[in-house]
Amino acid sequence: MASILIAEDEARISRFIEKGLRAAGFATQVTGNGSEALALAQTDEFDLLLLDVNLPGMDGFAVLEALRGTGSRLPIIILTARVEVQDTVAGLEGGADDYLGKPFRFDELLARIRLRMRRDEAGTESTVLQHGPLSLDIRTRQARVGDHAVELSAREFALAEEFIRNAGQVLSREQLLSRVWGYDFDPGSNVADVYVGYLRHKLGSNLIETVRGVGYRLSG
Ligand code: CA
């Protein structure tokens, strides 16, 4: 199981990331302190580091510089509220592999992580997820039902992926909102229901069951 170190001092955000990554099959560890993040990142126990810029103890750029200074090649994705180009460029020149501006959606973060992981261990993991007649290729973003290719928008694909990775489990509206839309999404929104409707329309009406009062489940 791939293991991800999350260096983020805002508990709301680290909880959101941790919950989502665990559901996606990753092991996780959270630290809210920069110096501790540096120490942990040097243990070889992690496959990727998510690194917030504004951290107590030691800021993210200093952690990055120190890590690269020791020759570490750990994949690093910078998480930053500072969307100014200068900071981003500094981060990438300092040896980060990628960055994500806050607020971000979970599916966006997951896509970046998977991309880094695949670059690291190319070809070791199948990129096709299958459940009954539904298959999703997470690399090419192609969806199929049986022999038929189906066009899905990025958000529809992310929602379908969430269902297929949790096949048989009931997913509540809140879970779907937090995993597919992000932590800043209004919990009262009905957008998840609307998108389940789109998926039923495109993938077949029987594929996603409504579990009354609880949520939705991929059938089968
Ligand atoms: Ca912070």
Side-chain angles (χ1 to χ4, degrees), residues 8-10 52-55 102:
E8 167 62 67
D9 61 324
E10 204 176 321
D52 182 31
V53 172
N54 291 309
L55 283 173
K102 293 176 185 175

Short mmCIF file of all heavy atoms in Angstrom, two decimals, residues 8-10 52-55 102, ligand 1:
data_model
loop_
_atom_site.label_atom_id
_atom_site.label_comp_id
_atom_site.label_asym_id
_atom_site.label_seq_id
_atom_site.Cartn_x
_atom_site.Cartn_y
_atom_site.Cartn_z
N GLU A 8 0.38 19.46 6.91
CA GLU A 8 -0.67 20.49 6.81
C GLU A 8 -1.12 20.81 8.22
O GLU A 8 -1.50 19.91 8.97
CB GLU A 8 -1.83 19.93 5.97
CG GLU A 8 -3.12 20.72 6.02
CD GLU A 8 -2.98 22.14 5.48
OE1 GLU A 8 -2.75 22.30 4.28
OE2 GLU A 8 -3.06 23.08 6.30
N ASP A 9 -1.08 22.08 8.60
CA ASP A 9 -1.41 22.44 9.98
C ASP A 9 -2.87 22.81 10.18
O ASP A 9 -3.31 22.98 11.30
CB ASP A 9 -0.51 23.58 10.47
CG ASP A 9 -0.68 24.83 9.64
OD1 ASP A 9 -0.88 24.71 8.42
OD2 ASP A 9 -0.60 25.94 10.20
N GLU A 10 -3.63 22.92 9.10
CA GLU A 10 -5.04 23.24 9.28
C GLU A 10 -5.83 21.93 9.33
O GLU A 10 -5.95 21.22 8.33
CB GLU A 10 -5.53 24.12 8.12
CG GLU A 10 -6.74 24.95 8.49
CD GLU A 10 -7.17 25.90 7.37
OE1 GLU A 10 -6.29 26.48 6.70
OE2 GLU A 10 -8.38 26.03 7.16
N ASP A 52 2.24 21.60 2.71
CA ASP A 52 1.68 22.94 2.84
C ASP A 52 2.83 23.95 2.92
O ASP A 52 3.90 23.62 3.42
CB ASP A 52 0.82 22.99 4.11
CG ASP A 52 0.15 24.33 4.32
OD1 ASP A 52 -0.17 25.01 3.33
OD2 ASP A 52 -0.06 24.70 5.49
N VAL A 53 2.60 25.18 2.43
CA VAL A 53 3.68 26.17 2.47
C VAL A 53 3.77 26.84 3.85
O VAL A 53 4.84 26.91 4.46
CB VAL A 53 3.49 27.24 1.37
CG1 VAL A 53 4.50 28.37 1.56
CG2 VAL A 53 3.67 26.61 0.00
N ASN A 54 2.62 27.32 4.34
CA ASN A 54 2.63 28.01 5.63
C ASN A 54 2.49 27.02 6.77
O ASN A 54 1.40 26.63 7.15
CB ASN A 54 1.48 29.02 5.69
CG ASN A 54 1.72 30.18 4.75
OD1 ASN A 54 2.78 30.79 4.76
ND2 ASN A 54 0.75 30.45 3.89
N LEU A 55 3.62 26.59 7.30
CA LEU A 55 3.63 25.61 8.38
C LEU A 55 4.41 26.19 9.56
O LEU A 55 5.42 26.86 9.35
CB LEU A 55 4.36 24.34 7.94
CG LEU A 55 3.64 23.36 7.02
CD1 LEU A 55 4.61 22.28 6.58
CD2 LEU A 55 2.44 22.74 7.72
N LYS A 102 -4.92 26.33 -3.02
CA LYS A 102 -6.11 26.15 -2.19
C LYS A 102 -7.12 27.23 -2.51
O LYS A 102 -6.72 28.36 -2.75
CB LYS A 102 -5.73 26.26 -0.71
CG LYS A 102 -4.85 25.15 -0.20
CD LYS A 102 -4.50 25.47 1.25
CE LYS A 102 -3.51 24.47 1.80
NZ LYS A 102 -3.08 24.85 3.16
CA CA B 1 -0.91 26.17 6.72
#
